[in-house]
Amino acid sequence: LRKFASARNSLKKSIKQNSSDYKAMYEISMSYIESDDKDFEKSISWMQKVIDSAKSLGLDEGKVLAYEADRCNIILNRKKTKDSLRDVIECCDIIIHEADIWYEVPQSSYNHMGIAFFHLNQVEKARKAFLAGLHLSKRMVNENRKEYNIHIHSDAYNNLGVLEQTVGNNVPAVTAYRSALELNKDNIQAKSNLQQLTLEPENPTI
């Protein structure tokens, strides 16, 4: 804990000298969720400062949207409320429509959006988001795009599997989990969900 606190103090000194030091702000934001005493609210607040600073500096739109995606991810990892989930959906919708289709950002944003809809019990919208993300991932593979992220692709299959299992569609769930593991054999959640499907069909992990 002292290590993170010391690092944050050093970074804050850097920001005092350069109020637009978005990289230092980013490090501070991430430190709040990497330490044992996670503070998601402070992490989100600092990530918003990163976004505002990046915009004011006129950084490449893709970088700004990537920080927006990081913010969405942090929100999803804190205590989920209806308001925070709607915030994620709105943010992801903007990212998906504004980002160049070949940025990695839309690939992860479809996942974030699907998870948010899932926790709001909007199953069809969640399924649509996961499938859209999978479609984009497959297209990126076919086009050999360097922005493609195999871990995001695998996670999308796991998320789809959880959704199908939750609504009682166990056969499609098994197919989705196996697809996730074909892409990434180290996907712990997909491996666990597949192994436990017949034992605890009510408790998959997204």
Side-chain angles (χ1 to χ4, degrees):
L1 298 181
R2 291 176 182 172
K3 179 183 70 174
F4 285 105
S6 176
R8 282 195 288 266
N9 288 334
S10 296
L11 290 166
K12 287 176 182 178
K13 288 179 182 178
S14 174
I15 295 170
K16 282 185 178 180
Q17 296 175 348
N18 177 9
S19 61
S20 298
D21 190 348
Y22 67 93
K23 291 183 179 179
M25 296 174 192
Y26 184 86
E27 291 299 322
I28 292 173
S29 173
M30 299 309 292
S31 75
Y32 278 113
I33 57 175
E34 290 171 354
S35 61
D36 291 335
D37 61 334
K38 292 177 173 54
D39 191 325
F40 292 105
E41 297 305 322
K42 288 183 178 178
S43 180
I44 292 167
S45 176
W46 275 99
M47 189 59 68
Q48 187 59 56
K49 292 178 182 179
V50 173
I51 294 166
D52 294 340
S53 181
K55 287 179 178 178
S56 68
L57 291 171
L59 292 191
D60 179 83
E61 181 186 22
K63 291 183 179 179
V64 176
L65 292 173
Y67 292 135
E68 292 275 14
D70 285 336
R71 176 177 168 274
C72 289
N73 191 40
I74 297 168
I75 293 173
L76 281 175
N77 281 285
R78 72 175 179 181
K79 183 177 180 180
K80 298 174 179 64
T81 65
K82 287 185 178 181
D83 286 341
S84 67
L85 292 170
R86 291 189 185 108
D87 186 14
V88 169
I89 292 168
E90 182 179 350
C91 177
C92 288
D93 189 56
I94 291 172
I95 291 171
I96 290 166
H97 286 92
E98 290 189 3
D100 184 296
I101 193 170
W102 299 125
Y103 282 129
E104 180 184 320
V105 181
Q107 196 186 6
S108 62
S109 293
Y110 279 119
N111 257 354
H112 294 157
M113 178 182 281
I115 292 170
F117 275 128
F118 177 81
H119 285 289
L120 287 171
N121 295 317
Q122 298 184 37
V123 175
E124 289 306 317
K125 289 183 177 180
R127 182 185 284 115
K128 183 178 179 179
F130 292 142
L131 290 174
L134 288 169
H135 176 75
L136 175 59
S137 292
K138 291 175 185 176
R139 185 175 174 186
M140 293 173 82
V141 170
N142 292 336
E143 295 289 337
N144 196 28
R145 297 290 175 171
K146 62 182 178 61
E147 299 91 347
Y148 167 75
N149 186 312
I150 195 169
H151 298 288
I152 295 175
H153 194 174
S154 177
D155 287 344
Y157 271 118
N158 176 68
N159 294 340
L160 180 63
V162 170
L163 182 150
E164 297 298 354
Q165 184 177 345
T166 300
V167 298
N169 297 333
N170 286 354
V171 174
V174 168
T175 300
Y177 293 145
R178 287 176 175 167
S179 295
L181 291 169
E182 285 176 8
L183 289 166
N184 176 18
K185 62 182 177 59
D186 296 321
N187 189 325
I188 296 173
Q189 288 187 339
K191 187 180 297 185
S192 175
N193 288 337
L194 181 59
Q195 290 175 343
Q196 296 182 24
L197 180 57
T198 57
L199 299 176
E200 298 180 64
E202 303 297 325
N203 299 298
T205 303
I206 197 166

